Amino acid sequence: MRYVNNDEYIPILKEIIESGNTVSMVVSGNSMRPLITHQKDSVQLEAPNRPLKKGDIVFYQRANGRYILHRICRTDSKGHMWCIGDAQTVIEGPLDQKCVFAIVTSIYRKGKRYYPKDFVWKFFQYVWIRMIPIRPYAVSFYGFLCRFRPKK
């Protein structure tokens, strides 16, 4: 696999998305764990074709130029949103929804494609988003349980 600098790669993806095409991208960074894993999982992106809502995973550009893939945890009637990574406990915002140039339409993880209708997706969209203060404890507990999983 060839690695490319995000500052070169993402503007090209952004142009492709803004021209109406769908693109796939391998995710770098750990902010969306445990749902999306750094350099293992990929997301399918397309331009938003509906109003953005709580639970959507969006790809946006911060005012400082950095590109971020996070989940919307709140919106308001003025076109603002607040976002957070699934591995984080600090909410970012308010952000103008105009900074969003793509929405995640599917996730390719561990050899399987997940869509918004799937249980795993819905869990993170509706349950995990409400667990922000206790996420570190939930992840630790999950890690503890995984130690007892039978080896394949």
Side-chain angles (χ1 to χ4, degrees), residues 1-89:
M1 180 184 305
R2 179 174 176 242
Y3 293 97
V4 180
N5 182 333
N6 280 346
D7 295 331
E8 299 169 15
Y9 175 66
I10 295 176
I12 295 168
L13 286 182
K14 187 175 175 183
E15 282 183 38
I16 294 168
I17 292 165
E18 288 173 345
S19 68
N21 295 296
T22 301
V23 299
S24 290
M25 177 185 81
V26 175
V27 175
S28 64
N30 290 308
S31 68
M32 287 302 290
R33 285 191 78 200
L35 180 60
I36 304 171
T37 304
H38 169 70
Q39 294 185 348
K40 288 185 179 178
D41 301 334
S42 62
V43 293
Q44 188 168 357
L45 302 163
E46 61 184 49
N49 59 1
R50 59 170 173 72
L52 299 174
K53 65 183 189 318
K54 179 179 181 175
D56 286 341
I57 303 171
V58 293
F59 201 30
Y60 62 95
Q61 189 171 16
R62 286 182 177 153
N64 67 6
R66 293 214 38 199
Y67 296 99
I68 306 296
L69 184 79
H70 279 172
R71 185 180 306 279
I72 297 174
C73 64
R74 184 175 141 218
T75 61
D76 70 13
S77 60
K78 297 176 185 170
H80 296 112
M81 64 180 187
W82 287 258
C83 295
I84 188 168
D86 286 347
Q88 299 177 326
T89 56

Side-chain angles (χ1 to χ4, degrees), residues 51-136:
L52 299 174
K53 65 183 189 318
K54 179 179 181 175
D56 286 341
I57 303 171
V58 293
F59 201 30
Y60 62 95
Q61 189 171 16
R62 286 182 177 153
N64 67 6
R66 293 214 38 199
Y67 296 99
I68 306 296
L69 184 79
H70 279 172
R71 185 180 306 279
I72 297 174
C73 64
R74 184 175 141 218
T75 61
D76 70 13
S77 60
K78 297 176 185 170
H80 296 112
M81 64 180 187
W82 287 258
C83 295
I84 188 168
D86 286 347
Q88 299 177 326
T89 56
V90 177
I91 298 170
E92 176 182 11
L95 302 164
D96 191 323
Q97 289 189 19
K98 292 176 185 169
C99 69
V100 173
F101 61 90
I103 187 167
V104 175
T105 57
S106 70
I107 299 166
Y108 189 73
R109 170 191 164 96
K110 296 182 181 179
K112 184 176 180 195
R113 188 159 302 277
Y114 293 92
Y115 296 93
K117 64 179 175 35
D118 294 323
F119 172 79
V120 170
W121 190 298
K122 287 184 183 289
F123 172 81
F124 283 90
Q125 184 174 18
Y126 296 110
V127 177
W128 193 252
I129 198 73
R130 289 171 172 79
M131 296 175 58
I132 293 169
I134 63 166
R135 284 179 178 179

